[in-house]
Amino acid sequence: MAKLYFRYGAMNSGKSTALLQAAYNYEERGQHVLLAKPEIDTKGADQISSRLGVERQVDFLIRPDDDVRGLVAADAARFEGGVACLLIDEAQFLTAAQVDDLLRIATLDGIPVIAYGIRTDFQTRAFPGSARLMELAHSLEELKTICRCGRKALYNARLVGGRFVFDGDQVAIDELSHETVTYESMCAECYLRESGGRLS
């Protein structure tokens, strides 16, 4: 039976790099894969880009109202012999219903699904897609990164114009803002120190 996998980690834990490596591994063995990401992730438009400089165009973008199972069925039809794996980047931006579709794709359609994303936002709240993946995935795997202090990073702090902020919308698109929005992966101690003890 095919499975739904959720590989998660804080910002800069190598999620996109791992996804692109997984795609390469399948294709090196002559198998077909599909790559997708939510349309809301405007970084790289229709590309999956890793910090190492590797990038690749997605097979399709997922809009908030899309039926992911339908998109996969339509796209998979072009491959003789079927699709060996569906790889999703930035899975935290999926809706809960779309994650339900991922489970159906794995379980009913027999296509393994590997979803990569972050668990929580800059206020330590779960993204809807990540929360549902935590509930449904057959397998959970944490991809690790380190905080500025050297400890394991768990949280994502938001900086606007170089200053830490702990209020605002869950999703901040840098291209739509008049100030630069960046993120820093932090351990619990460093996060709480910057937030003044706030967790949301």
Side-chain angles (χ1 to χ4, degrees):
M1 178 183 83
K3 294 182 179 179
L4 170 59
Y5 301 85
F6 183 34
R7 297 180 177 165
Y8 64 91
M11 301 286 290
N12 301 324
S13 59
K15 296 176 298 297
S16 297
T17 302
L19 182 153
L20 294 169
Q21 181 67 52
Y24 178 84
N25 291 346
Y26 274 103
E27 291 173 337
E28 187 178 40
R29 288 157 182 79
Q31 298 177 320
H32 300 292
V33 296
L34 291 176
L35 277 66
K37 72 174 188 174
E39 184 181 55
I40 192 171
D41 176 38
T42 58
K43 177 188 70 192
D46 61 352
Q47 303 274 325
I48 293 175
S49 304
S50 84
R51 290 180 301 130
L52 300 180
V54 181
E55 60 183 30
R56 177 169 166 176
Q57 186 168 349
V58 298
D59 292 287
F60 57 90
L61 294 170
I62 303 167
R63 294 182 303 269
D65 295 329
D66 279 344
D67 167 6
V68 180
R69 193 174 179 204
L71 290 173
V72 169
D75 224 69
R78 64 190 169 99
F79 294 115
E80 188 175 329
V83 171
C85 189
L86 169 63
L87 298 160
I88 307 274
D89 200 25
E90 304 293 353
Q92 71 271 7
F93 296 134
L94 296 174
T95 66
Q98 289 170 334
V99 173
D100 292 352
D101 271 347
L102 299 184
L103 182 66
R104 291 183 189 100
I105 291 164
T107 306
L108 302 178
D109 302 331
I111 300 172
V113 179
I114 309 175
Y116 295 82
I118 59 177
R119 220 176 18 157
T120 58
D121 65 16
F122 74 109
Q123 295 177 315
T124 70
R125 299 289 182 202
F127 284 94
S130 300
R132 192 64 176 145
L133 279 160
M134 289 290 202
E135 294 168 341
L136 292 184
H138 294 97
S139 174
L140 300 171
E141 179 185 343
E142 183 180 17
L143 303 177
K144 297 173 180 64
T145 191
I146 58 169
C147 178
R148 60 168 90 153
C149 69
R151 287 188 286 259
K152 178 180 160 185
L154 295 171
Y155 306 107
N156 306 297
R158 179 183 289 171
L159 296 94
V160 177
R163 291 187 316 270
F164 286 101
V165 296
F166 296 92
D167 294 302
D169 294 335
Q170 187 171 54
V171 178
I173 306 299
D174 186 37
E175 289 81 2
L176 302 179
S177 172
H178 64 283
E179 294 189 88
T180 302
V181 178
T182 58
Y183 294 87
E184 183 179 338
S185 305
M186 304 182 106
C187 70
E189 185 176 331
C190 289
Y191 182 94
L192 288 169
R193 186 178 299 119
E194 291 294 345
S195 71
R198 288 181 56 184
L199 284 171
S200 62

